[in-house]
Amino acid sequence: MSDLTEYQDALGRDYVLTDDAVAKWSRDWTGIYQWTPLAVVRPASTAEVASVVKIAGRLGHKIVAVSGMTGVAGGASAESCVMVSVDRLNQIEEIRPDARLAIVGAGVILSNLHDAVDTHDLVFPLTFGAKGSACIGGCLSTNAGGSNVVRYGNTRDLCLGLEAVMPDGSILNAMTELHKDNSGYNLKHLLIGAEGTLGIITRAVVKLVPKPKAYATAMVAVASLSNALTLLNRVQTETGDKVEAFEFMPAEYLEKLYQLKPSTRPVFETKYEVNILLEIGSTILTECTPNENGTIPLNEQFETILGTMLEEDVLLDAVIAKNEAERREIWERREAAAEVQLSTPPLVNNDIALPLDKVASFYDEARERVSVIVPDAPISTVAHLGDGNLHFIVSLGNKYADRHDEVMSLVEDVVLEYGGSFSAEHGIGLSKIPSMKRRKDPVAVATMRAIKNAIDPSNMMNPGKVIPPQD
C-alpha cells in the first residue's frame, strides 16, 4: 500500500479507499462483472483529478473513471486498477435560464439535475430508469440515450461543451457555451462516447429545453410493429413533432414484469402482442390551458387522434392517463425494464439500433432464427421504438449457457443484414469487445486504435475497453 501514499497526500486519507471500503465499486450493476481495484480515489475538483492522473502516470498505475456505477456492459471493470470516482464533483455550478444551459460537475446525479432545472420551468431531457443514480459523467462517457431521444437526441446532442483531464494530467478546457464553433477538430465529440479511454470528463455545459406545460400519455396496442411505425408517423405529423416518447413493450415483457412485480396492474384486459407507451408534450399555452369544460386541448387532440385511428383499425386498444398518477404508473412499467430483463441470467444482452422501417422485419426474423438454435429460450424485448433502439434479451438458462457467443453472433448477423448497429446506448465496455472485433469496419477500428495510441500511448485510461486487442 506504500504506492498509495502519494494519492493520500494529494486527496487526504479519507478519500483513498481500499479493502472492504471499495465493495460498492467492485461490481457492475448486473453483477456479471466483478473485480478488485487497487484503490478507489475520490477527488473533489478537476485539479485533484489531474493530480491523481499524474501520480498514476509516475507509478505506472492504470486508471478507470467511474460515476454512478449503473453500466451494464462492464465498462467500469477495474481489476488491479485505480478507480477515479467523480461522485464528489457533484456541483450544479450554474443554471442560466435565458441561455437555456447549465454548468455541472461530472458527478451530478441525473435526477438531481432534473429537480434543479424544474424550478426554472426547464428540462434536461435525458431520462431513463437509472436516473436516480446515473451521473452526468457516465452519461457523457457512454453517450447515453434513454426514452426521449425521439424528440431531443442522445446525450451528445445535449452537450455544448466539456472539461476533461487527459492521460498526461493536462486539463482540456472545451467548456464552450456556443451552438456554433467551427475551429478545428471537435474534441468534445471525441471524448463523448469514449467510455473514459481517452480522458476523464470532469465538467460539462449542457443544454436545457422548455418544460412542457402539459403531457398526454397513453398505452396503445397495435397489431404489428409496422402498424406502430404508422402510428408514430401519424402522431408526429398531426401534432407537429410533439412525440416525447415512443416505447415498445411486447406481451412477453409485460408478463415477466407482472411475475416479478405482482402488484403491477395489467395495462389492458386483453392480452396484446404489441404494446406502445406513447407520450406527447407541448409548451404552447393555448394547447395546455384548460378550456371552459375543464379539459386540456392537448389531451382532446390526443384523444381525437387515437380515437380516429381506433376507428380505422390502426389501433386495437388505447388507455389514456387521466392524471399524473396514472401517467407515472404507465412510466413505471417501462422504467422497470433493466430489472425485469436482466433478472434471469445467464442471458444474451443485445442493445441494438436499426433503421425505423427495418425494425419490424428484424424483430420477426431474429426471433425466428434464434428459436432454431435455442428452441425454448425466452426472448424479452423492450425498445425505444421511436429511434429504433431495441433491447433484445435472450434468456439462455443453464440449458443453453454455453451458446452465448453463438446466439450473440446470430443476432448481430441479422442486425447487420438490416443495416443496423450491434451497440446503441449502453456502450462497448467489455461485453461488446468481441462484437467490435467481429463486426466493426477494420479501418474504423484501426483509426480508433491510432487515436488511442496518440492520446494515451501508455494505455493508462480504462484499458481493455472499447477497442479490441490487435491480433
Side-chain angles (χ1 to χ4, degrees):
M1 290 301 166
S2 59
D3 276 355
L4 303 180
T5 303
E6 288 194 53
Y7 298 112
Q8 294 169 343
D9 291 343
L11 305 182
R13 285 182 172 271
D14 290 344
Y15 301 111
V16 180
L17 310 180
T18 59
D19 302 323
D20 293 344
V22 305
K24 69 175 277 190
W25 288 277
S26 296
R27 65 190 298 277
D28 74 341
W29 183 84
T30 69
I32 294 172
Y33 296 96
Q34 300 185 30
W35 58 87
T36 303
L38 178 65
V40 175
V41 300
R42 301 177 58 221
S45 67
T46 300
E48 288 190 353
V49 175
S51 294
V52 165
V53 172
K54 290 176 182 177
I55 293 167
R58 287 197 300 272
L59 298 178
H61 290 160
K62 306 297 185 182
I63 281 180
V64 177
V66 294
S67 48
M69 297 296 294
T70 59
V72 297
S77 179
E79 183 64 39
S80 301
C81 295
V82 173
M83 300 185 77
V84 181
S85 172
V86 299
D87 63 336
R88 295 176 68 210
L89 306 181
N90 58 4
Q91 292 78 29
I92 299 175
E93 299 175 22
E94 288 186 71
I95 297 172
R96 304 237 297 276
D98 289 345
R100 292 180 179 167
L101 63 81
I103 300 175
V104 298
V108 170
I109 293 173
L110 185 54
S111 62
N112 290 350
L113 180 56
H114 290 165
D115 293 343
V117 303
D118 182 73
T119 62
H120 299 276
D121 285 327
L122 295 169
V123 172
F124 180 61
L126 177 68
T127 187
F128 43 82
K131 60 183 178 289
S133 50
C135 298
I136 294 300
C139 294
L140 288 164
S141 292
T142 58
N143 188 28
S147 299
N148 287 351
V149 171
V150 64
R151 188 166 195 181
Y152 302 106
N154 294 294
T155 308
R156 183 185 303 280
D157 304 299
L158 301 173
C159 180
L160 289 172
L162 54 77
E163 175 186 81
V165 175
M166 305 306 286
D168 63 355
S170 61
I171 298 171
L172 172 67
N173 181 0
M175 290 286 287
T176 178
E177 300 169 8
L178 303 174
H179 289 261
K180 290 182 178 179
D181 182 2
N182 198 15
S183 55
Y185 297 155
N186 195 320
L187 301 179
K188 169 189 73 175
H189 285 309
L190 188 62
L191 288 162
I192 295 174
E195 300 182 42
T197 60
L198 301 178
I200 301 174
I201 296 171
T202 52
R203 299 166 68 226
V205 183
V206 297
K207 298 178 186 177
L208 308 176
V209 299
K211 179 182 177 181
K213 299 180 185 301
Y215 293 100
T217 310
M219 285 294 298
V220 301
V222 294
S224 69
L225 284 173
S226 295
N227 284 39
L229 185 56
T230 301
L231 167 65
L232 172 63
N233 290 338
R234 180 101 160 251
V235 175
Q236 289 284 44
T237 298
E238 296 192 23
T239 64
D241 290 334
K242 290 188 176 70
V243 174
E244 295 261 328
F246 196 77
E247 304 288 300
F248 171 44
M249 290 177 278
E252 66 252 22
Y253 166 76
L254 290 175
E255 288 175 358
K256 195 172 181 180
L257 169 66
Y258 302 147
Q259 291 169 7
L260 190 66
K261 297 178 177 291
S263 61
T264 304
R265 189 164 58 98
V267 181
F268 301 109
E269 294 181 2
T270 302
K271 174 183 173 180
Y272 298 108
E273 293 301 319
V274 182
N275 307 278
I276 306 291
L277 185 165
L278 169 61
E279 180 164 273
I280 62 174
S282 177
T283 60
I284 300 172
L285 193 60
T286 55
E287 294 181 344
C288 304
T289 303
N291 54 31
E292 292 180 356
N293 63 12
T295 59
I296 295 174
L298 183 72
N299 292 344
E300 289 184 332
Q301 181 190 23
F302 194 51
E303 291 178 12
T304 298
I305 293 169
L306 298 186
T308 300
M309 296 180 79
L310 279 166
E311 292 174 1
E312 296 173 354
D313 294 328
V314 176
L315 307 185
L316 301 176
D317 208 341
V319 174
I320 300 175
K322 301 181 186 68
N323 50 49
E324 181 59 23
E326 291 187 3
R327 175 179 176 249
R328 286 308 321 154
E329 184 180 17
I330 287 174
W331 271 106
E332 284 168 4
R333 296 187 185 99
R334 176 61 183 86
E335 291 179 342
E339 182 181 356
V340 172
Q341 288 195 291
L342 303 181
S343 64
T344 54
L347 49 81
V348 181
N349 183 3
N350 294 284
D351 164 42
I352 55 185
L354 293 144
L356 296 188
D357 59 350
K358 303 293 179 59
V359 170
S361 298
F362 161 82
Y363 185 68
D364 291 340
E365 184 167 345
R367 289 169 62 86
E368 180 179 347
R369 288 166 64 174
V370 166
S371 69
V372 171
I373 62 172
V374 285
D376 52 353
I379 298 174
S380 174
T381 304
V382 293
H384 305 299
L385 198 57
D387 58 74
N389 176 193
L390 278 69
H391 302 296
F392 186 89
I393 312 296
V394 183
S395 296
L396 299 174
N398 293 330
K399 183 176 180 180
Y400 299 118
D402 62 344
R403 309 196 77 169
H404 178 280
D405 291 349
E406 184 180 357
V407 173
M408 178 73 84
S409 186
L410 173 64
V411 174
E412 291 171 4
D413 284 341
V414 186
V415 167
L416 295 184
E417 286 168 17
Y418 284 98
S421 170
F422 57 81
S423 180
E425 65 177 2
H426 290 163
I428 302 301
L430 290 175
S431 68
K432 292 295 180 77
I433 288 289
S435 303
M436 287 286 284
K437 187 176 180 64
R438 287 192 296 261
R439 309 297 183 178
K440 192 69 176 177
D441 174 67
V443 175
V445 172
T447 303
M448 286 189 282
R449 186 175 290 117
I451 292 169
K452 170 71 170 173
N453 290 340
I455 294 176
D456 183 18
S458 63
N459 193 28
M460 180 172 68
M461 294 285 189
N462 209 7
K465 315 301 178 9
V466 181
I467 303 171
Q470 198 160 13
D471 292 330

